[in-house]
Amino acid sequence: MMIHTNNYILNIKELWDDVPEEYLSHKERYENAIKKAFIVLKVLRQLHTGNIQITDHRTPTNVYSIQDGIFRNVNPLLIHIGLFWSTIAAQASTEQQAEWLQPDSSMIGTYVQTELGHGSFIRGIETTATYDSTTDEFILHTPRLSAYKWWPGGLGNTANACLVMAQLYINGTCHGLHIFLAQIRDFDTHKPLPGIKVGEIGPKMGFNTADNGFLGFDNHRIPRTNMLMKNVQVLRDGTYVKPKHDKLTYGSMLLTRVTLISDLAYQLSKAATIAVRYSAVRRQSPIKSNEPERQILDFVSQQHKLFITIASSHVYRVVGLWMWNSHKRVTADIHEGNMGQLPELHALACCLKAISSRDASALVEQCRLACGGHGYMMASNLPQIYAYTTAAVTYEGEYTVLLLQTARYLVKFWRLAAEHKPLPQNFAYFEDYIKKNFEQWRNSPEGIIEGFKAIVAGKTKAAYDTLQCNLRNGREFEEAWNMASVQLTNASEAYARSLLCEVFWKETVQLSTKVSKSLAIVLEQLAELYLMYWALEKHGDLLLYSTISRNDIEALQSRYEELLALIRPNAVGLVDAFDIRDEVLCSTLGAYDGRVYERMMEEASKSPLNEDVVNESFHKYIRPVTMKNKL
Amino acid sequence: MAKVNVDLQRERDSCSFNITELTHWIDGGVQKTEERKKREEMALKEGIHLEPVPSVYLSHKEKYELAVKKACLLFKMIRKLQEEENAGMENYLAVLGGNLGAAILGDGNPLTLHYVMFIPTIMGQGTVEQQAYWIGRAFNLDIIGTYAQTELGHGTFVRGLETTATYDASTKEFVLNSPTLTAYKWWPGGLAHTANYCIVMAQLYTKGKCHGIHAFIVQLREEETHMPVRGIKVGEIGAKLGMNGTNNGFLGFDNVRIPRDHMLMKNSKVLEDGTYVNAPSSKLAYGTMMFVRVMLVNDMCKYMAKAVTIAVRYSAVRRQSQPKPDEPEPQIIDYLTQQHKLLVGIASVHAFRMSADWLWLMYNNVTAELDAGDMERLPELHALSCCLKAVSTDDAAQCVERCRLACGGHGYMLSSNLPLTYGLVTAACTYEGENTVMLLQTARYLVKAWQQAAAGNTLPPTVSYLGELRAGRRSPPWDNTIEGIVKGFHMVASGKIGICVAQIEKRQKNGMSYEDAWNMTSVQLASASEAHCRAFLLSIYYKDNEKQVATVSPELRIVLQQLCDLYIVYWALQRIGDLLRFTSISERDIEQLQNWYEDLLVKVRPNAVGLVDAFDIRDEILNSALGAYDGRAYERLMEEAMKSPLNAEPVNQSFHKYLKPLMQGKL
């Protein structure tokens, strides 16, 4: 079914560009993407007639990955398809859902939260929704420039409706952020409604087909019933009915962070595929002077850049799925009224989102640079993958802000440990660290996992001690926290890394029993490579907080180099196994057939500049200068 | 001028030193500052940099056409300046390289290689007659040239080039050919549609023998019609991550004939009968490449200064979060984590500037020695320029990206100018010698130096520490001062090189060839090379800063010393693993360093805006909605957005074409 759908969509001719997107103007690019978006939407609607309830498709798989090939960037209807309907499904009352979730709805929607002056700190949002009981309406208003909504995808020119996060005011009391459905354009003419100022925010590093927009309200009125009222209500007389649990509204953000991990795994596999195949085709310099030039994949320094990317893709795929399952379990618990696991899930999602986006963008960039100058060409598709990946470092919760969220969680458990109070099983190692129950260092995956836990403990302790010291010196908690924040983020990062290592190793060992012997060996090599790589990257922390010796580090280095050599013969096979179609990979350097140079020349010939042998600018500008003496 | 943002004004008012004094110090004196300002004013008052619709909205083809237009206007302007002032190369260099050039042609200039490679190569490698014939025409822009070296299949490894130039004694011509697809020239700027002449690097064949890579001047297009000359296949290579104004091209030869005297013959010659006369030294040809690398280090300082100016000013304007319920949101620059991202960037500009100056001096000395026939210091210069090229471009790319990410989502907007700056900087990581290859070049030199030290020979100044540290094998007690850290970094470099040498020897003993052992050890070799470079950077910054601050006011001196300390302690903390391995630093020392570092962040914080203001980068050059002097970040973001052609009409045509039919179809 899935393959059938993919083939069906990929065979629609209008979805393929004669002139690649990167040659178009900003405006043409948007129009081209909209054209494709509606063809895809039409097909999706045909295939899922009547069913726009969207939860299952977010299970981490490659189902929708073909869109990467079609848009080479982002579908301007991404939020419409991905977040608009699912938020209504999750946050609107039964009656509201019955009214809005119609298969023939005229709404093209988006989700509008961040403002020009407000991002990760949601409570700072300035847009207001004031209840007017005389007309039974909310008045949406943008009090100043910094309150303009800024960034939402599809908002610029595409959406005619949106879910707006705004501060709810009733009778002069602010009840915090709530979600409102607002129509912003006429369904028939698409003109902005009176009181709505909407437009696009301009070109970006990537996501240029996402149609990111801005939005301002000038006392814009919407019916009371347009507030999403599943968990909270405003009654006709202005009575505010509180939610049972105030954490419920953060559910969709948590889910986005969880699915992001899998998405980043997929971006990593794309980058690794391109760079590894190219490195097998590209030859440069002989290793011995009388030999022919070698495949650059034979250079150990190149293997060092690439194999960790292959391994990391597996790590994030495995951990992404693990988080997806945890999320499912926790959500089920919440429906049973049990919130106990939510803080842990939140803490995990925060640091894993931060570290996965940082790792992924660094590794994608490493792959691009490993392709030398040719990686700089848009036709390699690596610049686009980087632009897409690096955006994740700041959206859906900025990197440092998220690490500091997790740090609060770590500090909480360290405090328990320091006060010799009982700890949950997964933080038992804090107690070991305090009691100095150090195990003898082992140069093995298990030993490294233990070592990483010691780092988490040691770094949390260091940050905690600094925090306490600041407090003792009379600083207020917030100030003391700020002064310790560099160390707190370090602790958080270490925690994420230790989780990644442990989950990946355990899952790999388990998986190895279920696959053929020859595959099991390779998978374990990859997992070991990942652990060795990070042990070497963090050897300073290991020296500080574990019992590793200098000689152990030299041995680790040798083992790491051995692993590179062991993986080298299977490198191409490993990326082929990601099984990414050429139409989705969109890369001259990475296509399955390895006709790198032919494809580069073919792509170059698609440039509109190459249609004319002499560009008109010669006659207009160059000739008057070079021929000045003859004219 | 519009009103300055109040937060930014307050930062400036509370700066503890005189910002202008620092600007003069950076420029190298009051007079230098005035000259720079005058040149900027002259270049910018013409308005060539202004774009009614910002070029980021244009199509690829339109972007090129705009770049050519500007490049030609720029040339006319420089010519006018030259006539008025009768100056030397100063104006060309100032306008082409660095900040001014980037202000006018933000995403690359199709004429850059004409000035930076075409003319200098003829000057460096042409005979007196050849120079007389070509240089005047080139300077006057009667012809437009470029420099074609890299090929589709061949980059950093120059000896692998496939293009051939075969001497035909019967007609006294060279015949140029691209024997395969991989032999097509690929990348040269201005090659696609701009240049009509080109210096081509090709394998020279005469009398049936290959004599390696030589430079030839080839006409590509007719001067009158601009049509490609017979046998020339030329075009552009397509869109790139950045530098889309440079018009990078490809070039293939099908039996293209050029006169014998179009080979540049200052060093090697081919006589009329086809006899090849060898150059006195093959090393001479590396001069231009080394020059470019030295200049690159300087360019990286300028890009870092831009990025950090944008990010620091924005961080003083942006407010976020509410640590305390009853207080307003703080400026994000008050967060220690933000200071951690930005302040080291300010220090890096100064650190690399001092190393760049040092390298420039050495380059000039060595060039002078070369002219006198003395080549002794050439390998040392080569080694130093290779690793500094790699480390400066790497550090700059990371610094720019860190600044961009520190601006949150808004840094992702092209109107912040940070993405475009990153595009320019990261390109330098792979061009002019890929960074890993560069580090391994330096590593070869270091391994040799190590072996010489082992044999008891004295070493050249920049590696003399290897000899000293080899002698005293035992780690002395750790000294937790700036001087101690610098010394520690030398021990790290020395220790790493020592381990590499031992590894290679061990692997050879186990039966590996030297080359395979080298390859197996290359990850560690690259890291040793980086460590050597880092030690150099730290020690030059420390020493030269010490010397240079002696002449400034006490207020400024304090701040400059804090910056230098900050940089050195920052790197110590980045490299604690290495320090633990190769010195006797303890956990307690490291805790103290961490405290010292945090303390320095707090000390530098109040002067952050003043420190970036002192880089004195005009708004037209900065070209950033987030970083302008007045701090009107949000107003400027909105103003820039309103320039989008998509915002010129309330309803885009695609609504009628696609969206409406779909909705009416009620699918």
Side-chain angles (χ1 to χ4, degrees), chain B residues 352-374:
Chain B
F352 277 105
R353 196 168 52 77
M354 289 186 194
S355 276
D357 287 349
W358 201 94
L359 189 65
W360 177 240
L361 209 67
M362 181 176 181
Y363 173 80
N364 283 321
N365 289 340
V366 172
T367 319
E369 287 163 18
L370 272 182
D371 288 340
D374 174 6

Side-chain angles (χ1 to χ4, degrees), chain B residues 209-440:
Chain B
K209 211 182 147 211
C210 180
H211 295 277
I213 302 296
H214 290 75
F216 303 85
I217 300 182
V218 184
Q219 183 173 2
L220 305 176
R221 292 173 179 266
E222 298 294 347
E223 290 182 28
E224 188 74 33
T225 64
H226 213 54
M227 286 299 284
V229 170
R230 212 163 63 99
I232 295 282
K233 195 180 163 197
V234 66
E236 80 131 356
I237 63 169
K240 292 140 292 169
L241 194 162
M243 307 192 80
N244 281 303
T246 47
N247 198 221
N248 300 86
F250 65 77
L251 171 64
F253 301 97
D254 180 12
N255 287 308
V256 172
R257 291 181 165 263
I258 56 169
R260 184 183 62 96
D261 65 3
H262 280 205
M263 173 175 146
L264 292 178
M265 297 212 212
K266 182 180 176 186
N267 303 315
S268 318
K269 292 178 186 56
V270 171
L271 306 182
E272 275 195 18
D273 66 350
T275 306
Y276 179 73
V277 182
N278 207 352
S281 165
S282 59
K283 281 174 183 163
L284 285 173
Y286 288 107
T288 334
M289 232 143 99
M290 220 153 2
F291 171 76
V292 173
R293 280 174 201 154
V294 173
M295 296 308 285
L296 258 183
V297 183
N298 235 323
D299 280 351
M300 292 303 121
C301 296
K302 290 182 175 133
Y303 290 126
M304 283 193 277
K306 267 168 95 168
V308 81
T309 301
I310 296 168
V312 166
R313 285 187 185 155
Y314 176 67
S315 299
V317 169
R318 174 79 170 184
R319 290 176 170 271
Q320 187 167 287
S321 296
Q322 204 168 13
K324 298 175 204 170
D326 43 351
E327 281 181 17
E329 297 186 59
Q331 293 164 282
I332 57 174
I333 201 170
D334 281 335
Y335 290 104
L336 198 76
T337 48
Q338 190 77 353
Q339 294 159 18
H340 174 53
K341 292 172 193 173
L342 301 182
L343 300 185
V344 68
I346 303 177
S348 299
V349 178
H350 293 288
F352 277 105
R353 196 168 52 77
M354 289 186 194
S355 276
D357 287 349
W358 201 94
L359 189 65
W360 177 240
L361 209 67
M362 181 176 181
Y363 173 80
N364 283 321
N365 289 340
V366 172
T367 319
E369 287 163 18
L370 272 182
D371 288 340
D374 174 6
M375 286 196 264
E376 203 194 316
R377 293 195 76 192
L378 195 61
E380 189 190 6
L381 174 65
H382 176 71
L384 196 59
S385 70
C386 282
C387 69
L388 266 175
K389 185 268 171 189
V391 173
S392 67
T393 54
D394 248 5
D395 276 18
Q398 279 181 33
C399 171
V400 173
E401 261 320 59
R402 194 166 50 216
C403 287
R404 181 181 69 73
L405 290 165
C407 295
H410 294 347
Y412 197 71
M413 306 274 323
L414 294 193
S415 59
S416 77
N417 204 19
L418 290 165
L420 220 60
T421 306
Y422 180 65
L424 297 174
V425 171
T426 188
C429 293
T430 50
Y431 70 57
E432 293 300 330
E434 190 272 335
N435 278 356
T436 305
V437 175
M438 290 294 98
L439 288 177
L440 290 173

Side-chain angles (χ1 to χ4, degrees), chain A residues 216-286:
Chain A
F217 298 101
D218 181 10
N219 290 305
H220 181 68
R221 288 176 170 265
I222 56 169
R224 178 178 57 88
T225 50
N226 274 24
M227 178 171 125
L228 270 55
M229 300 220 208
K230 183 179 182 180
N231 303 312
V232 288
Q233 286 91 38
V234 172
L235 306 183
R236 177 68 187 86
D237 64 354
T239 308
Y240 178 71
V241 184
K242 268 196 206 164
K244 273 179 275 176
H245 198 293
D246 60 356
K247 277 177 183 155
L248 283 176
T249 40
Y250 294 103
S252 73
M253 220 145 117
L254 188 60
L255 182 64
T256 308
R257 283 176 195 155
V258 168
T259 51
L260 191 61
I261 301 171
S262 306
D263 186 30
L264 291 168
Y266 176 61
Q267 301 305 329
L268 277 171
S269 60
K270 276 165 59 176
T273 303
I274 297 168
V276 168
R277 286 188 184 152
Y278 176 66
S279 300
V281 171
R282 174 77 170 188
R283 289 175 173 271
Q284 185 170 286
S285 305

Side-chain angles (χ1 to χ4, degrees), chain A residues 27 45 116 151 185 200 305 365 368 373-374 376 386-387 390 400 487 550 561 607 610 623 628, chain B residues 79 140 152 224 236 241 341 401 404 410 412 422-423 426 436 507 524 581 598 644 647 650 667:
Chain A
K27 191 174 168 185
R45 284 195 185 180
L116 194 41
W151 277 115
R185 288 175 182 267
E200 74 124 3
K305 294 173 189 172
E365 207 46 356
R368 179 181 70 74
H374 292 349
Y376 196 73
Y386 178 64
T390 188
T400 306
Q487 294 179 56
R550 297 179 194 192
E561 284 158 3
S607 167
N610 283 333
R623 200 164 180 275
K628 56 204 165 281
Chain B
R79 195 163 52 185
N140 203 23
L152 193 42
E224 188 74 33
E236 80 131 356
L241 194 162
K341 292 172 193 173
E401 261 320 59
R404 181 181 69 73
H410 294 347
Y412 197 71
Y422 180 65
T426 188
T436 305
R507 285 178 163 141
Q524 298 181 65
R581 273 178 87 186
E598 286 161 4
S644 168
N647 286 333
L667 279 162

Side-chain angles (χ1 to χ4, degrees), chain B residues 44 48-51 70 95 97-107 306 417 618-623:
Chain B
L44 294 170
I48 302 174
H49 63 287
L50 300 173
E51 294 172 350
K70 284 180 170 185
V95 174
N99 281 340
L100 253 186
I104 295 169
L105 282 136
D107 209 17
K306 267 168 95 168
N417 204 19
R618 285 175 62 138
D619 282 351
E620 296 94 328
I621 292 172
L622 211 53
N623 199 15

